Amino acid sequence: MIKINNLHKSYKMGSSSLHVLKGIDFNVKDGELVAIMGSSGSGKSTLLNIVGMLDIADKGVYELDGVPIENLDETKAAQYRNKFLGFVFQSFNLINYKSALENVALPLYYQGLKRKDRQEKSLSYLEKVGLKDWATHLPSELSGGQKQRVAIARALASQPKVLLADEPTGALDTKTSYEVMDLIQQINQEGKTILVVTHEPDIANMCQRVVKLKDGVIVEDKKVEQVLAAQYV
Amino acid sequence: MPRKNILFDRDTWQEIFGSIAKNKTRTIITVIGVLWGIFIYITLSGSAKGMDNGFDRAFENVAINSMFLWAQSTSMPYDGFKIGRSPQLKIQDAQYIKKRVPAVEFIAPRNTKGLFDGGQQPLVVRGTKTGNYVVYGDTPEYTSIFPLKIFDGGRYINADDYKNERKICIIGERTKDELFEKDEDPIGDYVNINGIYFQIVGMHKTSDEGGFASDSDIYIPLSTFRRLYNTGDDVDWFTIAARDDADVVAVEKEVKQVLRRIHRVHPEDERAFGSFNLGEIWNRIIGFKDGLTLMSLIVGIATIIAGVIGIGNILLISVKERTKELGIRRAIGATPAEVRKQILLESVFLTLLAGIIGIILGALVLAGINAATTDLEDFPFVNPTVPLSYILGALFTMISMGILIGLIPAQRAVSIKPIDALREE
């Protein structure tokens, strides 16, 4: 699903430049649930941003589902993001003046779906994350866990190939974190490829594979015994 | 994935309404600027039009291209005459002028007793009542230049009156009130002017447009006047109307030139004949009106532009405020074009909304002023309207300015990378 070869990325900081990714080789198979770990500054978010086409690598090859991702302009990147990728953020990033349903429907709007289809589809995804009854509520009326579930529904609504979660549990307490991870595991079991960036070992252990980054290179890449979140819920 | 027709797409507007309705304070503040601008514009240009109409009404009874002309004294010696001689206008001058200056449509020689001569106003007697009134000697042409309001079935001096030197007169409304009882009908009755009986054939109501005319004036045929006061061929002044297409100022010059020739005055003597040119005054009023209209246009448009710039300013701030939201939208698939479009349409929509409210408010205020001034005859303000072309022009200005100014925040919105926008807290 994801093929990355010799990926480099550096940021200009005034006159000096900061080499963040120093040659990453990284492949993800279809249906995998992968945790990317590392301390802050290790480059894990940068890697996720490049995979998410929010950022562009300086050097290297990136293929998503057989499509080489290169020469991206903003418009093309936006269209690829809309078609291939679903994002879940640490801070949920819901639009605060739109209801849960409208938030979920937004990527479908940009896909050009008809209003009725959008409503139906978004409602079914809200149902999937267990928030059908909260469809008309604004984000401010939802708890953190509920917000993150709305965000997951939104990420799924556009039927992406890959779900990218950047510290999805970073703003949640342990119990809610496990609930969210349970949902992520369920989605993974249905066949969705998921990348989770985290620095919490217990969250990482709920994935099938853990990739550790340090100073811009992969230092460890191992399969783990997956802990089911459902048992903590 | 780009949509076919964004302007007529319900979803586009739903997004915009959503964003506008959910940011009420911003919307209201934004709208007020343009609303005020277009309100000022509509009120000003409507008022200018109202004054325009008001002046038209005030002068509707006057031949606008008319002038008065009288003799003064020469300021240059000429042809053996000393400086300071006073030429005397003669009744024959009228025919001569008409022949020599084709642009003159009507020329009415006039004489008067009791107005300029410094003497006593003629004594008018009717039974036991008496009064002193100004008496004019006039020709039938006079009413072609300054129409009099003749009422109660009377008439003005006609050609036969003039030819036969009839002893008839037209009295004013006030004269009637002072010399007759309320229930009496003066027409056909007689009054005694300086010892001679005149039959009353008409009564006039004089509005105040004629300068020194008053509603106590008595008009008699000029031919009769000459006999009564023994003025011979002498005339006090001419009232002249130029043809509609003529330039009154040029006509005035030509007539004076002809008079200088007749009366053997130096051709460059500007002071020998005096004149008062209503046409010239009218031209000045028109110039004033045009200036007023132009000023209201400039002030109005400038205020609108200031308002639209205000919208741009507030949208710019709001784009900054919404950086995160726009970042989210772009992360989940909004293309830069779609983000730009949304900001632009918000700008244009707000501008138009404000414009339409402003136009309605302006129209209400104009209607209010109109209602308050309908009873004031003296106040030159009638039917203030704004031409449709002005309104369309203003709307066009607003839309194009709204687009232009919206481009700045729209560009700002897409110039921030989605990843940076998402990081913003």
Side-chain angles (χ1 to χ4, degrees):
Chain A
M1 180 58 71
I2 295 173
K3 271 188 195 164
I4 285 174
N5 255 323
N6 194 27
L7 199 73
H8 286 265
K9 177 73 184 176
S10 51
Y11 290 109
K12 282 213 171 63
M13 311 279 276
S15 54
S16 61
S17 82
L18 190 66
H19 205 170
V20 182
L21 296 181
K22 302 166 179 165
I24 302 275
D25 295 301
F26 177 55
N27 293 313
V28 178
K29 286 200 277 292
D30 199 4
E32 259 189 312
L33 175 55
V34 182
I36 300 171
M37 289 192 75
S39 56
S40 65
S42 62
K44 59 185 194 300
S45 285
T46 306
L47 178 62
L48 194 78
N49 286 335
I50 289 171
V51 173
M53 296 178 219
L54 290 167
D55 213 340
I56 297 166
D58 300 332
K59 209 173 110 188
V61 181
Y62 169 27
E63 251 179 48
L64 180 65
D65 198 25
V67 181
I69 306 300
E70 52 193 7
N71 301 327
L72 281 184
D73 61 16
E74 284 286 349
T75 305
K76 214 168 170 187
Q79 287 166 353
Y80 279 177
R81 282 198 294 269
N82 190 248
K83 211 156 67 174
F84 297 138
L85 301 168
F87 288 94
V88 177
F89 303 95
Q90 178 177 7
S91 52
F92 323 126
N93 283 344
L94 300 175
I95 292 175
N96 54 23
Y97 63 80
K98 285 179 176 289
S99 71
L101 186 73
E102 287 168 331
N103 264 292
V104 177
L106 204 56
L108 301 174
Y109 166 71
Y110 289 117
Q111 276 186 350
L113 245 70
K114 284 211 178 68
R115 184 175 171 72
K116 225 183 120 203
D117 300 342
R118 291 203 310 258
Q119 299 268 357
E120 272 173 23
K121 217 167 170 182
S122 330
L123 207 58
S124 76
Y125 278 101
L126 272 182
E127 193 174 10
K128 194 181 170 79
V129 300
L131 289 173
K132 196 185 176 186
D133 295 339
W134 297 82
T136 57
H137 287 249
L138 291 176
S140 56
E141 297 161 343
L142 302 174
S143 71
Q146 285 172 323
K147 281 185 205 171
Q148 197 58 295
R149 280 191 276 161
V150 171
I152 291 171
R154 179 178 66 185
L156 291 175
S158 57
Q159 289 170 303
K161 296 189 188 305
V162 177
L163 197 66
L164 301 174
D166 190 3
E167 306 265 11
T169 60
L172 303 173
D173 60 51
T174 314
K175 187 173 175 296
T176 321
S177 297
Y178 292 159
E179 282 170 9
V180 167
M181 280 314 290
D182 182 34
L183 183 62
I184 287 176
Q185 284 178 344
Q186 282 173 35
I187 294 160
N188 174 245
Q189 272 149 31
E190 288 165 22
K192 193 76 72 191
T193 312
I194 303 176
L195 257 63
V196 178
V197 166
T198 184
H199 61 263
E200 294 164 74
D202 54 337
I203 298 296
N205 283 333
M206 290 175 178
C207 300
Q208 299 157 347
R209 179 181 157 199
V210 176
V211 175
K212 277 193 179 143
L213 260 74
K214 197 177 179 190
D215 297 330
V217 288
I218 293 176
V219 291
E220 196 184 337
D221 186 347
K222 59 169 188 195
K223 301 260 184 199
V224 292
E225 191 69 31
Q226 189 177 20
V227 179
L228 284 182
Q231 66 195 60
Y232 296 105
V233 177
Chain B
M1 290 193 301
R3 331 186 120 254
K4 273 172 239 131
N5 198 336
I6 52 161
L7 272 187
F8 299 102
D9 189 342
R10 191 164 152 229
D11 293 325
T12 310
W13 293 106
Q14 215 125 30
E15 275 301 304
I16 287 163
F17 280 136
S19 144
I20 285 172
K22 300 283 164 49
N23 298 287
K24 283 199 187 67
T25 319
R26 185 198 91 196
T27 306
I28 291 167
I29 295 174
T30 312
V31 157
I32 284 174
V34 168
L35 191 151
W36 183 246
I38 188 102
F39 171 75
I40 296 273
Y41 170 81
I42 292 288
T43 314
L44 271 182
S45 54
S47 301
K49 181 70 183 166
M51 281 187 78
D52 202 16
N53 292 341
F55 280 121
D56 281 346
R57 182 185 65 178
F59 284 84
E60 70 186 342
N61 288 324
V62 185
I64 286 154
N65 48 352
S66 61
M67 68 193 90
F68 308 104
L69 214 136
W70 61 91
Q72 300 175 153
S73 41
T74 57
S75 61
M76 291 173 171
Y78 183 68
D79 204 12
F81 291 107
K82 275 202 289 186
I83 191 168
R85 175 176 62 101
S86 299
Q88 174 62 54
L89 294 179
K90 297 286 182 185
I91 199 160
Q92 299 85 344
D93 296 349
Q95 290 314 309
Y96 194 70
I97 287 169
K98 225 181 154 183
K99 210 156 59 186
R100 300 304 296 266
V101 187
V104 169
E105 188 166 22
F106 298 108
I107 176 162
R110 302 192 77 192
N111 266 342
T112 175
K113 205 79 189 163
L115 185 61
F116 299 130
D117 46 10
Q120 181 76 20
Q121 291 176 348
L123 180 70
V124 179
V125 185
R126 194 244 165 193
T128 56
K129 297 189 175 179
T130 62
N132 293 84
Y133 304 105
V134 177
V135 173
Y136 289 91
D138 267 308
T139 56
E141 280 91 1
Y142 180 66
T143 47
S144 304
I145 304 169
F146 286 97
L148 284 172
K149 284 184 192 132
I150 304 285
F151 68 101
D152 278 357
R155 63 174 177 84
Y156 190 65
I157 301 163
N158 63 25
D160 282 346
D161 296 333
Y162 185 79
K163 208 171 97 189
N164 301 322
E165 300 173 13
R166 282 182 187 151
K167 293 193 275 292
I168 54 110
C169 68
I170 289 95
I171 62 169
E173 194 181 18
R174 203 175 89 209
T175 323
K176 179 216 161 199
D177 291 343
E178 286 172 6
L179 296 183
F180 291 85
E181 299 298 332
K182 262 194 178 142
D183 49 353
E184 279 182 298
D185 180 13
I187 291 181
D189 213 329
Y190 292 86
V191 286
N192 186 312
I193 304 172
N194 283 122
I196 311 277
Y197 279 95
F198 282 78
Q199 189 175 27
I200 299 166
V201 296
M203 286 178 293
H204 70 87
K205 216 182 242 179
T206 297
S207 41
D208 48 7
E209 80 267 12
F212 37 77
S214 107
D215 58 357
S216 66
D217 294 341
I218 297 177
Y219 296 89
I220 64 174
L222 181 60
S223 49
T224 319
F225 188 101
R226 288 162 69 186
R227 308 241 314 170
L228 179 61
Y229 295 108
N230 196 26
T231 51
D233 291 338
D234 292 357
V235 174
D236 285 344
W237 77 95
F238 291 119
T239 300
I240 297 171
R243 292 188 194 280
D244 285 341
D245 51 356
D247 171 8
V248 276
V249 179
V251 171
E252 180 188 347
K253 277 191 181 141
E254 271 185 75
V255 170
K256 279 188 181 170
Q257 201 56 47
V258 169
L259 282 174
R260 283 197 278 265
R261 216 156 40 229
I262 301 171
H263 296 280
R264 294 159 79 187
V265 173
H266 193 287
E268 281 156 31
D269 190 342
E270 293 293 336
R271 290 202 225 150
F273 298 99
S275 58
F276 179 81
N277 196 327
L278 266 180
E280 206 186 329
I281 305 284
W282 178 246
N283 284 345
R284 274 190 213 148
I285 291 177
I286 288 180
F288 170 70
K289 290 191 305 187
D290 289 350
L292 208 65
T293 308
L294 184 70
M295 196 194 76
S296 70
L297 272 179
I298 292 173
V299 170
I301 298 272
T303 323
I304 291 175
I305 290 174
V308 177
I309 290 173
I311 284 196
N313 198 3
I314 290 169
L315 276 178
L316 205 57
I317 295 169
S318 94
V319 159
K320 188 114 183 73
E321 262 172 19
R322 289 163 68 194
T323 304
K324 180 117 188 205
E325 177 204 327
L326 296 171
I328 298 167
R329 284 174 182 272
R330 290 175 67 189
I332 61 178
T335 61
E338 276 167 321
V339 171
R340 215 181 270 131
K341 171 196 83 187
Q342 184 179 350
I343 305 288
L344 264 186
L345 281 180
E346 276 179 33
S347 163
V348 173
F349 179 79
L350 283 178
T351 314
L352 261 185
L353 178 80
I356 288 164
I357 299 176
I359 288 171
I360 293 171
L361 281 184
L364 286 178
V365 166
L366 286 180
I369 298 177
N370 194 32
T373 56
T374 26
D375 297 335
L376 306 175
E377 289 261 332
D378 290 343
F379 192 66
F381 198 88
V382 180
N383 193 20
T385 51
V386 183
L388 191 62
S389 57
Y390 282 25
I391 294 181
L392 292 180
L395 285 178
F396 177 77
T397 310
M398 286 191 314
I399 293 176
S400 39
M401 284 294 296
I403 291 175
L404 276 181
I405 221 76
L407 278 175
I408 301 169
Q411 196 50 45
R412 165 69 65 88
V414 296
S415 70
I416 306 171
K417 286 188 167 175
I419 180 170
D420 297 326
L422 284 172
R423 261 190 218 126
E424 189 130 329
E425 284 301 327

